[in-house]
PDB file of all heavy atoms in Angstrom:
ATOM      1  N   GLU C 220      -2.470  12.750  -7.617  1.00 95.00           N
ATOM      2  CA  GLU C 220      -1.136  12.227  -7.269  1.00 95.00           C
ATOM      3  C   GLU C 220      -0.429  13.143  -6.282  1.00 95.00           C
ATOM      4  O   GLU C 220       0.303  12.686  -5.400  1.00 95.00           O
ATOM      5  CB  GLU C 220      -0.268  12.071  -8.539  1.00 95.00           C
ATOM      6  CG  GLU C 220      -0.808  11.063  -9.525  1.00 95.00           C
ATOM      7  CD  GLU C 220      -1.825  11.670 -10.495  1.00 95.00           C
ATOM      8  OE1 GLU C 220      -2.273  12.821 -10.263  1.00 95.00           O
ATOM      9  OE2 GLU C 220      -2.157  10.990 -11.486  1.00 95.00           O
ATOM     10  N   THR C 221      -0.625  14.449  -6.415  1.00 96.00           N
ATOM     11  CA  THR C 221       0.036  15.410  -5.541  1.00 96.00           C
ATOM     12  C   THR C 221      -0.914  15.967  -4.467  1.00 96.00           C
ATOM     13  O   THR C 221      -0.461  16.559  -3.491  1.00 96.00           O
ATOM     14  CB  THR C 221       0.609  16.574  -6.342  1.00 96.00           C
ATOM     15  OG1 THR C 221      -0.454  17.176  -7.130  1.00 96.00           O
ATOM     16  CG2 THR C 221       1.713  16.100  -7.277  1.00 96.00           C
ATOM     17  N   HIS C 222      -2.207  15.807  -4.667  1.00 97.00           N
ATOM     18  CA  HIS C 222      -3.185  16.299  -3.723  1.00 97.00           C
ATOM     19  C   HIS C 222      -4.227  15.211  -3.439  1.00 97.00           C
ATOM     20  O   HIS C 222      -5.371  15.282  -3.904  1.00 97.00           O
ATOM     21  CB  HIS C 222      -3.894  17.556  -4.271  1.00 97.00           C
ATOM     22  CG  HIS C 222      -2.975  18.740  -4.428  1.00 97.00           C
ATOM     23  ND1 HIS C 222      -2.096  18.855  -5.484  1.00 97.00           N
ATOM     24  CD2 HIS C 222      -2.792  19.843  -3.647  1.00 97.00           C
ATOM     25  CE1 HIS C 222      -1.422  19.996  -5.370  1.00 97.00           C
ATOM     26  NE2 HIS C 222      -1.816  20.592  -4.259  1.00 97.00           N
ATOM     27  N   PRO C 223      -3.822  14.167  -2.710  1.00 97.00           N
ATOM     28  CA  PRO C 223      -4.740  13.054  -2.421  1.00 97.00           C
ATOM     29  C   PRO C 223      -5.948  13.541  -1.610  1.00 97.00           C
ATOM     30  O   PRO C 223      -5.925  14.591  -0.945  1.00 97.00           O
ATOM     31  CB  PRO C 223      -3.872  12.071  -1.613  1.00 97.00           C
ATOM     32  CG  PRO C 223      -2.778  12.921  -1.050  1.00 97.00           C
ATOM     33  CD  PRO C 223      -2.514  13.977  -2.053  1.00 97.00           C
ATOM     34  N   ASN C 224      -7.002  12.758  -1.669  1.00 97.00           N
ATOM     35  CA  ASN C 224      -8.245  13.140  -0.982  1.00 97.00           C
ATOM     36  C   ASN C 224      -8.047  13.417   0.493  1.00 97.00           C
ATOM     37  O   ASN C 224      -8.648  14.329   1.041  1.00 97.00           O
ATOM     38  CB  ASN C 224      -9.301  12.033  -1.192  1.00 97.00           C
ATOM     39  CG  ASN C 224      -9.870  12.038  -2.582  1.00 97.00           C
ATOM     40  OD1 ASN C 224      -9.864  13.066  -3.276  1.00 97.00           O
ATOM     41  ND2 ASN C 224     -10.342  10.900  -3.033  1.00 97.00           N
ATOM     42  N   ALA C 225      -7.210  12.618   1.136  1.00 96.00           N
ATOM     43  CA  ALA C 225      -6.980  12.814   2.560  1.00 96.00           C
ATOM     44  C   ALA C 225      -6.446  14.199   2.843  1.00 96.00           C
ATOM     45  O   ALA C 225      -6.836  14.867   3.822  1.00 96.00           O
ATOM     46  CB  ALA C 225      -6.014  11.758   3.104  1.00 96.00           C
ATOM     47  N   MET C 226      -5.539  14.651   2.005  1.00 96.00           N
ATOM     48  CA  MET C 226      -4.967  15.986   2.163  1.00 96.00           C
ATOM     49  C   MET C 226      -6.015  17.064   1.968  1.00 96.00           C
ATOM     50  O   MET C 226      -6.095  18.038   2.738  1.00 96.00           O
ATOM     51  CB  MET C 226      -3.839  16.186   1.161  1.00 96.00           C
ATOM     52  CG  MET C 226      -3.210  17.588   1.172  1.00 96.00           C
ATOM     53  SD  MET C 226      -2.143  17.888  -0.245  1.00 96.00           S
ATOM     54  CE  MET C 226      -0.866  16.668   0.063  1.00 96.00           C
ATOM     55  N   LEU C 227      -6.858  16.904   0.965  1.00 97.00           N
ATOM     56  CA  LEU C 227      -7.884  17.889   0.666  1.00 97.00           C
ATOM     57  C   LEU C 227      -8.921  17.977   1.782  1.00 97.00           C
ATOM     58  O   LEU C 227      -9.372  19.061   2.162  1.00 97.00           O
ATOM     59  CB  LEU C 227      -8.568  17.591  -0.665  1.00 97.00           C
ATOM     60  CG  LEU C 227      -7.646  17.615  -1.890  1.00 97.00           C
ATOM     61  CD1 LEU C 227      -8.448  17.309  -3.164  1.00 97.00           C
ATOM     62  CD2 LEU C 227      -6.910  18.942  -2.031  1.00 97.00           C
ATOM     63  N   VAL C 228      -9.304  16.819   2.300  1.00 97.00           N
ATOM     64  CA  VAL C 228     -10.276  16.793   3.387  1.00 97.00           C
ATOM     65  C   VAL C 228      -9.706  17.454   4.637  1.00 97.00           C
ATOM     66  O   VAL C 228     -10.358  18.282   5.282  1.00 97.00           O
ATOM     67  CB  VAL C 228     -10.720  15.355   3.679  1.00 97.00           C
ATOM     68  CG1 VAL C 228     -11.538  15.284   4.980  1.00 97.00           C
ATOM     69  CG2 VAL C 228     -11.557  14.808   2.537  1.00 97.00           C
ATOM     70  N   GLU C 229      -8.488  17.092   4.981  1.00 97.00           N
ATOM     71  CA  GLU C 229      -7.869  17.677   6.169  1.00 97.00           C
ATOM     72  C   GLU C 229      -7.751  19.188   6.032  1.00 97.00           C
ATOM     73  O   GLU C 229      -7.998  19.923   6.991  1.00 97.00           O
ATOM     74  CB  GLU C 229      -6.490  17.050   6.383  1.00 97.00           C
ATOM     75  CG  GLU C 229      -5.784  17.616   7.611  1.00 97.00           C
ATOM     76  CD  GLU C 229      -4.376  17.040   7.798  1.00 97.00           C
ATOM     77  OE1 GLU C 229      -3.906  16.315   6.914  1.00 97.00           O
ATOM     78  OE2 GLU C 229      -3.756  17.346   8.819  1.00 97.00           O
ATOM     79  N   ARG C 230      -7.383  19.651   4.847  1.00 97.00           N
ATOM     80  CA  ARG C 230      -7.235  21.075   4.615  1.00 97.00           C
ATOM     81  C   ARG C 230      -8.585  21.794   4.798  1.00 97.00           C
ATOM     82  O   ARG C 230      -8.654  22.860   5.409  1.00 97.00           O
ATOM     83  CB  ARG C 230      -6.690  21.340   3.214  1.00 97.00           C
ATOM     84  CG  ARG C 230      -6.386  22.789   2.924  1.00 97.00           C
ATOM     85  CD  ARG C 230      -5.672  22.957   1.619  1.00 97.00           C
ATOM     86  NE  ARG C 230      -6.512  22.603   0.476  1.00 97.00           N
ATOM     87  CZ  ARG C 230      -6.116  22.727  -0.782  1.00 97.00           C
ATOM     88  NH1 ARG C 230      -4.892  23.122  -1.043  1.00 97.00           N
ATOM     89  NH2 ARG C 230      -6.950  22.400  -1.762  1.00 97.00           N
ATOM     90  N   ALA C 231      -9.642  21.202   4.234  1.00 97.00           N
ATOM     91  CA  ALA C 231     -10.971  21.822   4.356  1.00 97.00           C
ATOM     92  C   ALA C 231     -11.409  21.890   5.814  1.00 97.00           C
ATOM     93  O   ALA C 231     -11.909  22.927   6.292  1.00 97.00           O
ATOM     94  CB  ALA C 231     -11.997  21.046   3.522  1.00 97.00           C
ATOM     95  N   LEU C 232     -11.209  20.815   6.548  1.00 97.00           N
ATOM     96  CA  LEU C 232     -11.657  20.774   7.950  1.00 97.00           C
ATOM     97  C   LEU C 232     -10.857  21.760   8.811  1.00 97.00           C
ATOM     98  O   LEU C 232     -11.376  22.312   9.784  1.00 97.00           O
ATOM     99  CB  LEU C 232     -11.507  19.368   8.506  1.00 97.00           C
ATOM    100  CG  LEU C 232     -12.478  18.324   7.963  1.00 97.00           C
ATOM    101  CD1 LEU C 232     -12.139  16.948   8.504  1.00 97.00           C
ATOM    102  CD2 LEU C 232     -13.924  18.689   8.295  1.00 97.00           C
ATOM    103  N   THR C 233      -9.617  21.983   8.437  1.00 97.00           N
ATOM    104  CA  THR C 233      -8.765  22.878   9.216  1.00 97.00           C
ATOM    105  C   THR C 233      -9.014  24.330   8.907  1.00 97.00           C
ATOM    106  O   THR C 233      -9.017  25.194   9.798  1.00 97.00           O
ATOM    107  CB  THR C 233      -7.270  22.549   8.947  1.00 97.00           C
ATOM    108  OG1 THR C 233      -7.009  21.206   9.291  1.00 97.00           O
ATOM    109  CG2 THR C 233      -6.367  23.485   9.750  1.00 97.00           C
ATOM    110  N   ARG C 234      -9.308  24.639   7.630  1.00 97.00           N
ATOM    111  CA  ARG C 234      -9.322  26.046   7.191  1.00 97.00           C
ATOM    112  C   ARG C 234     -10.700  26.690   7.125  1.00 97.00           C
ATOM    113  O   ARG C 234     -10.803  27.905   7.234  1.00 97.00           O
ATOM    114  CB  ARG C 234      -8.659  26.146   5.814  1.00 97.00           C
ATOM    115  CG  ARG C 234      -7.195  25.753   5.796  1.00 97.00           C
ATOM    116  CD  ARG C 234      -6.629  25.931   4.402  1.00 97.00           C
ATOM    117  NE  ARG C 234      -5.219  25.536   4.320  1.00 97.00           N
ATOM    118  CZ  ARG C 234      -4.501  25.631   3.210  1.00 97.00           C
ATOM    119  NH1 ARG C 234      -5.041  26.098   2.091  1.00 97.00           N
ATOM    120  NH2 ARG C 234      -3.227  25.260   3.210  1.00 97.00           N
ATOM    121  N   LEU C 235     -11.744  25.910   6.898  1.00 97.00           N
ATOM    122  CA  LEU C 235     -13.054  26.520   6.658  1.00 97.00           C
ATOM    123  C   LEU C 235     -13.548  27.265   7.878  1.00 97.00           C
ATOM    124  O   LEU C 235     -13.459  26.762   9.012  1.00 97.00           O
ATOM    125  CB  LEU C 235     -14.065  25.456   6.223  1.00 97.00           C
ATOM    126  CG  LEU C 235     -13.905  24.964   4.791  1.00 97.00           C
ATOM    127  CD1 LEU C 235     -14.826  23.784   4.515  1.00 97.00           C
ATOM    128  CD2 LEU C 235     -14.189  26.108   3.781  1.00 97.00           C
ATOM    129  N   ARG C 236     -14.101  28.452   7.639  1.00 96.00           N
ATOM    130  CA  ARG C 236     -14.626  29.304   8.679  1.00 96.00           C
ATOM    131  C   ARG C 236     -16.031  29.781   8.344  1.00 96.00           C
ATOM    132  O   ARG C 236     -16.467  29.733   7.187  1.00 96.00           O
ATOM    133  CB  ARG C 236     -13.712  30.539   8.884  1.00 96.00           C
ATOM    134  CG  ARG C 236     -12.282  30.196   9.325  1.00 96.00           C
ATOM    135  CD  ARG C 236     -12.251  29.658  10.748  1.00 96.00           C
ATOM    136  NE  ARG C 236     -10.889  29.393  11.204  1.00 96.00           N
ATOM    137  CZ  ARG C 236     -10.268  28.227  11.096  1.00 96.00           C
ATOM    138  NH1 ARG C 236     -10.889  27.197  10.506  1.00 96.00           N
ATOM    139  NH2 ARG C 236      -9.027  28.065  11.554  1.00 96.00           N
ATOM    140  N   ASP C 237     -16.735  30.272   9.354  1.00 96.00           N
ATOM    141  CA  ASP C 237     -18.086  30.781   9.179  1.00 96.00           C
ATOM    142  C   ASP C 237     -18.158  31.774   8.025  1.00 96.00           C
ATOM    143  O   ASP C 237     -17.351  32.700   7.936  1.00 96.00           O
ATOM    144  CB  ASP C 237     -18.540  31.460  10.488  1.00 96.00           C
ATOM    145  CG  ASP C 237     -19.939  32.022  10.397  1.00 96.00           C
ATOM    146  OD1 ASP C 237     -20.772  31.462   9.659  1.00 96.00           O
ATOM    147  OD2 ASP C 237     -20.205  33.041  11.082  1.00 96.00           O
ATOM    148  N   GLY C 238     -19.138  31.576   7.131  1.00 95.00           N
ATOM    149  CA  GLY C 238     -19.335  32.480   6.023  1.00 95.00           C
ATOM    150  C   GLY C 238     -18.573  32.162   4.770  1.00 95.00           C
ATOM    151  O   GLY C 238     -18.772  32.810   3.727  1.00 95.00           O
ATOM    152  N   ASP C 239     -17.705  31.145   4.789  1.00 96.00           N
ATOM    153  CA  ASP C 239     -16.914  30.823   3.608  1.00 96.00           C
ATOM    154  C   ASP C 239     -17.777  30.215   2.494  1.00 96.00           C
ATOM    155  O   ASP C 239     -18.727  29.464   2.758  1.00 96.00           O
ATOM    156  CB  ASP C 239     -15.812  29.814   3.976  1.00 96.00           C
ATOM    157  CG  ASP C 239     -14.595  30.470   4.622  1.00 96.00           C
ATOM    158  OD1 ASP C 239     -14.519  31.731   4.588  1.00 96.00           O
ATOM    159  OD2 ASP C 239     -13.757  29.745   5.167  1.00 96.00           O
ATOM    160  N   ILE C 240     -17.433  30.557   1.267  1.00 97.00           N
ATOM    161  CA  ILE C 240     -18.041  29.958   0.097  1.00 97.00           C
ATOM    162  C   ILE C 240     -17.124  28.811  -0.354  1.00 97.00           C
ATOM    163  O   ILE C 240     -15.925  28.987  -0.545  1.00 97.00           O
ATOM    164  CB  ILE C 240     -18.186  30.985  -1.031  1.00 97.00           C
ATOM    165  CG1 ILE C 240     -19.164  32.098  -0.618  1.00 97.00           C
ATOM    166  CG2 ILE C 240     -18.685  30.309  -2.317  1.00 97.00           C
ATOM    167  CD1 ILE C 240     -19.243  33.244  -1.601  1.00 97.00           C
ATOM    168  N   VAL C 241     -17.710  27.632  -0.487  1.00 97.00           N
ATOM    169  CA  VAL C 241     -16.970  26.407  -0.817  1.00 97.00           C
ATOM    170  C   VAL C 241     -17.239  26.043  -2.272  1.00 97.00           C
ATOM    171  O   VAL C 241     -18.378  26.091  -2.727  1.00 97.00           O
ATOM    172  CB  VAL C 241     -17.413  25.251   0.108  1.00 97.00           C
ATOM    173  CG1 VAL C 241     -16.603  23.998  -0.158  1.00 97.00           C
ATOM    174  CG2 VAL C 241     -17.297  25.669   1.588  1.00 97.00           C
ATOM    175  N   MET C 242     -16.186  25.679  -3.012  1.00 97.00           N
ATOM    176  CA  MET C 242     -16.328  25.419  -4.428  1.00 97.00           C
ATOM    177  C   MET C 242     -15.812  24.052  -4.831  1.00 97.00           C
ATOM    178  O   MET C 242     -14.724  23.660  -4.437  1.00 97.00           O
ATOM    179  CB  MET C 242     -15.578  26.512  -5.233  1.00 97.00           C
ATOM    180  CG  MET C 242     -15.893  26.496  -6.730  1.00 97.00           C
ATOM    181  SD  MET C 242     -14.906  25.321  -7.698  1.00 97.00           S
ATOM    182  CE  MET C 242     -13.311  26.122  -7.697  1.00 97.00           C
ATOM    183  N   ALA C 243     -16.623  23.329  -5.600  1.00 97.00           N
ATOM    184  CA  ALA C 243     -16.226  22.058  -6.200  1.00 97.00           C
ATOM    185  C   ALA C 243     -16.999  21.888  -7.513  1.00 97.00           C
ATOM    186  O   ALA C 243     -17.652  22.826  -7.963  1.00 97.00           O
ATOM    187  CB  ALA C 243     -16.520  20.909  -5.221  1.00 97.00           C
ATOM    188  N   HIS C 244     -16.915  20.734  -8.109  1.00 98.00           N
ATOM    189  CA  HIS C 244     -17.536  20.491  -9.413  1.00 98.00           C
ATOM    190  C   HIS C 244     -18.366  19.214  -9.367  1.00 98.00           C
ATOM    191  O   HIS C 244     -18.151  18.349  -8.529  1.00 98.00           O
ATOM    192  CB  HIS C 244     -16.460  20.346 -10.493  1.00 98.00           C
ATOM    193  CG  HIS C 244     -15.557  21.537 -10.634  1.00 98.00           C
ATOM    194  ND1 HIS C 244     -14.534  21.777  -9.766  1.00 98.00           N
ATOM    195  CD2 HIS C 244     -15.550  22.549 -11.552  1.00 98.00           C
ATOM    196  CE1 HIS C 244     -13.911  22.896 -10.124  1.00 98.00           C
ATOM    197  NE2 HIS C 244     -14.512  23.383 -11.188  1.00 98.00           N
TER     198      HIS C 244
END
Side-chain angles (χ1 to χ4, degrees):
E220 297 86 350
T221 56
H222 294 78
N224 285 335
M226 176 192 297
L227 298 181
V228 170
E229 180 182 6
R230 185 173 67 178
L232 290 175
T233 301
R234 297 182 181 181
L235 285 172
R236 298 291 183 267
D237 179 31
D239 280 348
I240 296 173
V241 183
M242 191 276 288
H244 302 78

